[in-house]
Amino acid sequence: MTTTTAAAVVESAGAGFALTEVELAEPRPDEVLVRMVAAGVCHTDLGVAAGALPFPLPGVLGHEGAGVVEAVGSSVTRVSPGDQVLMSFTSCGRCANCRDGHPAYCATWLPLNLLGGARADGSATVTRGGADLGGHFFGQSSFARHALVDERSLVKVPADAPLELLAPLGCGVQTGAGAVWNVLKPRPGSSIVVTGAGAVGLSAVMAARLTPATRIIAVDRVPARLELARELGATHTVDTTSADLAAAVAELTDGTGADGVVETTGSTEVAGAAVGTLAVRGTAVLVGAPAFGATVPVDVNFMLPGRSVVGLTLGDSEIEALVPVLVSLVASGRMPVDRLIRHYTFEEIQRAVADVVSGDTIKPVLRF
């Protein structure tokens, strides 16, 4: 039987989020019905809501969900009713990249998570008055009081885990952490530059602090965020309103450049400048998502001494491996994500959106 619930629906590009009643399909064998407790608000949600990506609207977004399992499909083995869960991206589990432990690069990642708005067979998970809505966003569409979730989007967490703090682990936190741990893998004495001190960038700073990197350089234009970056593990900060990025990094690295860069702003101008700070054999990880078709000019001769530029999706994470580690680090206080979060009620979703756009809030988390 279907489940009727309240959801924040985006009626059309730029229209914002409006709470309305929707119906969720009955769980299929590989799906789970979850009662939402919390959900993070991410810039990806805002970009899709603004019409920057061709997701079908009207639709239900949300991809940093956390909640309690209410019902499971007949073939589900990861979770049981009553379990607390975090939600992340989905994947097919069968393609070469999934089998190789890289589900963030699943052959069907874009239609299953970001663009399709439906299950792989085209069927809707969310309807309203008999009409299909865009749903299945990251296999969850968690801006609703209940969500129909792919089993492969779920990670079980302890019964006492604070879901209102852990929701952002599903995307923003694991993306920043994965950029450092899964791609850069800093060696003793490494220098790392993080451009953008938002939720993803500050997560990268916290992750870098847990490595043998000795220089962690946070870059932003907002002094309060740079101060927070220092409190979370940055050894140096650069305010690009008054300093040249390349010159500052050269000075802080004794002229050698950065061994690793995590670029989170999505600005092609910043990305180009960040790549230009690399040391010989250095790697730049591009996390921020500029508009489709945007380009970052890179001088081939600059790349020849072993420099690399790598694109990144969701931290290149295998969620059942990484998310429990993040949960443990948060619980022990070694990854204080609470410093990034401001809570809002579900009904305040438009205020949360406005606050993240204005920069007043780093990571909004909705409480249901």
Side-chain angles (χ1 to χ4, degrees):
M1 60 183 291
T2 60
T3 297
T4 299
T5 195
V9 176
V10 179
E11 299 290 348
S12 59
F17 297 85
L19 267 60
T20 185
E21 202 169 80
V22 303
E23 297 79 41
L24 301 180
E26 182 177 0
R28 289 186 173 180
D30 60 349
E31 293 176 338
V32 176
L33 179 66
V34 178
R35 174 178 57 82
M36 300 304 304
V37 172
V41 178
C42 176
H43 281 282
T44 301
D45 297 308
L46 307 190
V48 173
L53 293 170
F55 181 84
L57 299 175
V60 181
L61 304 175
H63 65 286
E64 290 183 341
V68 178
V69 174
E70 289 202 341
V72 300
S74 58
S75 66
V76 169
T77 59
R78 286 189 180 186
V79 297
S80 302
D83 287 344
Q84 287 206 140
V85 291
L86 298 183
M87 305 174 201
S88 190
F89 63 92
T90 191
S91 53
C92 75
R94 298 179 298 275
C95 69
N97 283 332
C98 282
R99 294 197 309 269
D100 197 33
H102 298 277
Y105 302 118
C106 174
T108 59
W109 196 91
L110 277 175
L112 282 185
N113 289 278
L114 196 57
L115 304 180
R119 299 177 175 110
D121 65 2
S123 61
T125 56
V126 188
T127 58
R128 182 177 58 185
D132 293 351
L133 297 181
H136 200 263
F137 193 60
F138 284 68
Q140 56 180 283
S141 287
S142 53
F143 286 165
R145 293 198 176 276
H146 292 80
L148 186 62
V149 186
D150 278 4
E151 180 182 22
R152 287 187 61 81
S153 294
L154 292 173
V155 178
K156 181 180 175 180
V157 297
D160 61 350
L163 297 181
E164 294 175 342
L165 292 181
L166 299 178
L169 271 55
C171 178
V173 175
Q174 78 165 327
T175 297
V180 176
W181 296 339
N182 292 336
V183 182
L184 294 183
K185 302 176 182 178
R187 299 182 301 275
S190 290
S191 56
I192 295 177
V193 170
V194 179
T195 50
V200 175
L202 291 171
S203 296
V205 167
M206 290 188 284
R209 183 180 60 175
L210 299 174
T211 73
T214 53
R215 291 185 184 93
I216 303 169
I217 304 166
V219 181
D220 205 286
R221 300 171 64 87
V222 180
R225 294 198 175 197
L226 292 172
E227 177 58 33
L228 179 57
R230 280 190 175 273
E231 294 172 11
L232 294 176
T235 60
H236 303 83
T237 58
V238 177
D239 185 340
T240 54
T241 60
S242 57
D244 176 76
L245 178 59
V249 171
E251 181 179 353
L252 292 171
T253 58
D254 302 321
T256 63
D259 298 304
V261 167
V262 181
E263 202 303 290
T264 73
T265 70
S267 162
T268 56
E269 181 181 356
V270 174
V275 169
T277 69
L278 286 176
V280 170
R281 298 181 63 228
T283 298
V285 185
L286 303 187
V287 175
F292 282 12
T295 59
V296 179
V298 178
D299 186 328
V300 173
N301 288 316
F302 176 77
M303 304 302 296
L304 289 178
R307 297 182 176 98
S308 302
V309 179
V310 180
L312 185 73
T313 298
L314 273 300
D316 191 10
S317 302
E318 204 299 306
I319 62 173
E320 283 202 298
L322 183 64
V323 171
V325 172
L326 292 170
V327 170
S328 177
L329 290 170
V330 172
S332 68
R334 297 173 67 197
M335 204 154 192
V337 298
D338 60 292
R339 299 291 306 278
L340 315 181
I341 291 172
R342 180 181 294 174
H343 288 107
Y344 301 78
T345 67
F346 183 37
E347 291 77 11
E348 293 176 313
I349 184 169
Q350 273 301 119
R351 180 182 155 214
V353 168
D355 286 353
V356 76
V357 170
S358 70
D360 287 346
T361 297
I362 295 175
K363 171 55 69 172
V365 172
L366 306 174
R367 287 171 164 156
F368 292 83

